[in-house]
Amino acid sequence: MESIIVAIIAGGMSLLGVIITNANSNRNIENQLKTAQAVTDTKIEQLTEEVRKHNSWADRITALEVKVEELKRRVDE
């Protein structure tokens, strides 16, 4: 009878150890995912800013091309 009680206690302690280990592992994974998501969000924000700058540059080039065409037309006249 004593061996059964000892086995139940040992099994219970093993189960408790596994549960605690899994909980800690899950917490660590969640923290890593949060960090990775924060880095990704920052990179997306930076890329968005670069795209805005690029789009602004493209708009300015288009405006310059229109002005150059107008100047060419004036010179031809």
Side-chain angles (χ1 to χ4, degrees):
M1 185 69 175
E2 286 180 21
S3 61
I4 294 173
I5 294 173
V6 170
I8 291 172
I9 291 173
M13 296 302 283
S14 296
L15 179 62
L16 183 63
V18 168
I19 291 171
I20 291 172
T21 301
N22 283 341
N24 286 337
S25 177
N26 287 342
R27 242 183 265 124
N28 288 338
I29 290 171
E30 285 177 6
N31 288 336
Q32 289 173 350
L33 287 173
K34 285 180 185 178
T35 302
Q37 186 62 44
V39 168
T40 301
D41 290 344
T42 301
K43 288 181 179 182
I44 288 173
E45 288 173 10
Q46 291 173 346
L47 286 172
T48 301
E49 183 61 31
E50 290 296 319
V51 167
R52 285 186 181 132
K53 287 179 183 177
H54 180 266
N55 288 344
S56 172
W57 178 253
D59 292 342
R60 289 172 34 199
I61 292 296
T62 303
L64 286 173
E65 288 173 343
V66 169
K67 287 181 181 180
V68 166
E69 288 301 319
E70 182 181 331
L71 289 173
K72 283 181 182 178
R73 186 183 49 80
R74 283 178 154 179
V75 167
D76 288 343
E77 289 177 0

